[in-house]
Amino acid sequence: MMAHLRLAAALTLALSIFGSHADAGVVLDYSDTTFFDGSSTVRVKAKAALEAAVADINAVIDFNLGAITNDVVTGTSGSTTATIDFRYGYRNPTTNATVEVPNTTMPANEFRIFVGMRPLSGSTLGQGGPGSVGAGFGASGFFNPGEAQAAVTAAAAASEHRRGDGPVMATLSGTVFGSPNDSAYSIEFGPTIGNLWFDDDVDNLGGSDGDAALDSFWHFDHTTAVDAGKNDFYSVALHETLHALGVGGSETWDSLVTNGTDWTGAEAIAEIGSGIGLIDAGGAHITDGTMSFRLSDGMAQEVVMDPSIFTGTRKSLTTLDAAFLRDLNYTTQITAVPEPSSLLAMTLAGAGTGLLRRRKPSHRKTRC
């Protein structure tokens, strides 16, 4: 194991990941929560840790997302005009109610996440994922099959909602306007909005707990080492933000998982040496206990995107987490990676020792 640690220590990155981005990247929306508006030490530190995690993600991903200006698009063929009205939704991070976002537009390179706190059952620390998408259709003019199909196709082609980089979050497809004049459509949606929330029912009694109870359970200060027995807020924020960006919860992710647990993405395979068994049985995470190298200092660490984390520990982004982002069509600023065979050997060695497998009864898992 020491040989692998020496290799990790010798790893050099082409650039620092803790620079700044001129573009917006992930933007946090606090409109559905009052927790992060609080002036108590607990709440100030929680917000700072969350925003530090998002800043570190924004420093790794070069967001190249096109602007969305066309909440409603039209297409015309002959005397027929088809209209598509795009609709987005998310789950309120405080109440879990479904919220529809009216007239959704988005500046270039922005991905908006609605964030909050709410009671979560069992051992779940946080949840995150992309929002929902939909569309309404209309038509006007003289309606015939050929013109209607051409008009729908033209309207779909005018959509800016794929946005360019990043995964396909979802594809809406089907037919509209009814038989015998059915008109087929297929529209891809890229990263646009997401939701993220953290557990504030730390005693699992069914209600939101006060600051004192939260402070005894969560480690909110991302600038200090994690206290023994506490759960690191920064680490969970990293994990759930990446879920919102499509890791484990997008159409592109699903297309790269085969046989339930095998990964076919070229970037991750190049990083670790094999995609066989690289995905957790649940399908939305990297296999528990998978090792990689921290982007911050090149040292060995479990990946951010496996399904759980030990209490009293912190994770930061790794080269393998970044490789998965590239497989999802994001552009990252990471250009130096270890030799695949060495990283695979370290992963297998770590899993075999049992020291890196997180099975303690006090361990709380974070999952989407």
Side-chain angles (χ1 to χ4, degrees):
M1 188 65 173
M2 290 300 296
H4 301 303
L5 292 177
R6 285 196 295 271
L7 172 64
L11 175 66
T12 58
L13 302 178
L15 48 87
S16 169
I17 68 165
F18 297 110
S20 60
H21 266 262
D23 297 330
V26 174
V27 173
L28 296 170
D29 193 310
Y30 298 101
S31 58
D32 295 300
T33 182
T34 59
F35 178 85
F36 295 100
D37 297 333
S39 59
S40 70
T41 300
V42 164
R43 299 183 182 212
V44 169
K45 287 183 177 179
K47 187 174 185 178
L50 170 59
E51 293 187 344
V54 167
D56 287 345
I57 290 171
N58 285 342
V60 169
I61 300 176
D62 270 328
F63 285 92
N64 295 299
L65 305 176
I68 297 177
T69 62
N70 59 9
D71 182 66
V72 177
V73 298
T74 60
T76 300
S77 178
S79 58
T80 302
T81 297
T83 302
I84 305 176
D85 183 359
F86 294 98
R87 300 166 184 172
Y88 285 84
Y90 66 94
R91 292 166 65 185
N92 184 301
T94 303
T95 68
N96 202 32
T98 300
V99 180
E100 184 172 325
V101 181
N103 304 318
T104 304
T105 60
M106 194 70 66
N109 304 318
E110 180 175 310
F111 180 87
R112 183 166 293 269
I113 298 181
F114 296 85
V115 62
M117 304 278 288
R118 69 181 184 86
L120 299 176
S121 61
S123 62
T124 302
L125 292 170
Q127 293 178 318
S132 60
V133 296
F137 294 81
S140 62
F142 180 74
F143 194 70
N144 68 65
E147 288 186 359
Q149 178 62 73
V152 169
T153 300
S159 167
E160 300 166 342
H161 294 251
R162 174 61 186 92
R163 307 202 72 190
D165 276 9
V168 175
M169 293 295 196
T171 299
L172 293 183
S173 59
T175 59
V176 293
F177 303 144
S179 180
N181 298 327
D182 288 348
S183 300
Y185 66 91
S186 181
I187 304 168
E188 292 183 341
F189 291 81
T192 301
I193 64 173
N195 30 234
L196 186 166
W197 49 80
F198 302 86
D199 184 25
D200 66 1
D201 177 23
V202 299
D203 56 13
N204 281 331
L205 295 180
S208 297
D209 296 321
D211 285 4
L214 294 176
D215 193 38
S216 67
F217 176 84
W218 286 105
H219 184 94
F220 289 115
D221 190 348
H222 69 286
T223 67
T224 62
V226 183
D227 293 335
K230 288 190 177 183
N231 299 280
D232 188 45
F233 201 77
Y234 169 89
S235 300
V236 177
L238 279 180
H239 182 103
E240 301 304 343
T241 299
L242 292 181
H243 273 318
L245 286 166
V247 177
S250 61
E251 191 171 295
T252 299
W253 173 278
D254 292 342
S255 72
L256 293 171
V257 178
T258 62
N259 303 317
T261 59
D262 296 341
W263 183 254
T264 61
E267 292 286 342
I269 291 174
E271 170 79 11
I272 199 168
S274 172
I276 297 174
L278 190 54
I279 302 302
D280 178 76
H285 296 91
I286 303 173
T287 296
D288 203 7
T290 300
M291 298 294 291
S292 185
F293 302 117
R294 286 196 297 261
L295 299 178
S296 56
D297 60 10
M299 296 303 293
Q301 179 205 281
E302 273 190 337
V303 292
V304 168
M305 292 312 297
D306 72 349
S308 56
I309 183 171
F310 271 127
T311 57
T313 65
R314 171 169 296 142
K315 293 184 181 183
S316 61
L317 293 167
T318 71
T319 57
L320 186 55
D321 293 307
F324 271 87
L325 289 171
R326 291 193 297 276
D327 279 333
L328 293 183
N329 201 40
Y330 288 110
T331 301
T332 74
Q333 297 192 62
I334 308 307
T335 58
V337 297
E339 290 298 321
S341 58
S342 298
L343 182 54
L344 179 61
M346 183 187 72
T347 300
L348 294 176
T353 64
L355 298 176
L356 299 175
R357 301 294 293 175
R358 301 175 294 185
R359 304 296 188 193
K360 294 182 179 180
S362 62
H363 169 63
R364 285 172 61 97
K365 291 184 178 179
T366 175
R367 63 183 75 223
C368 66

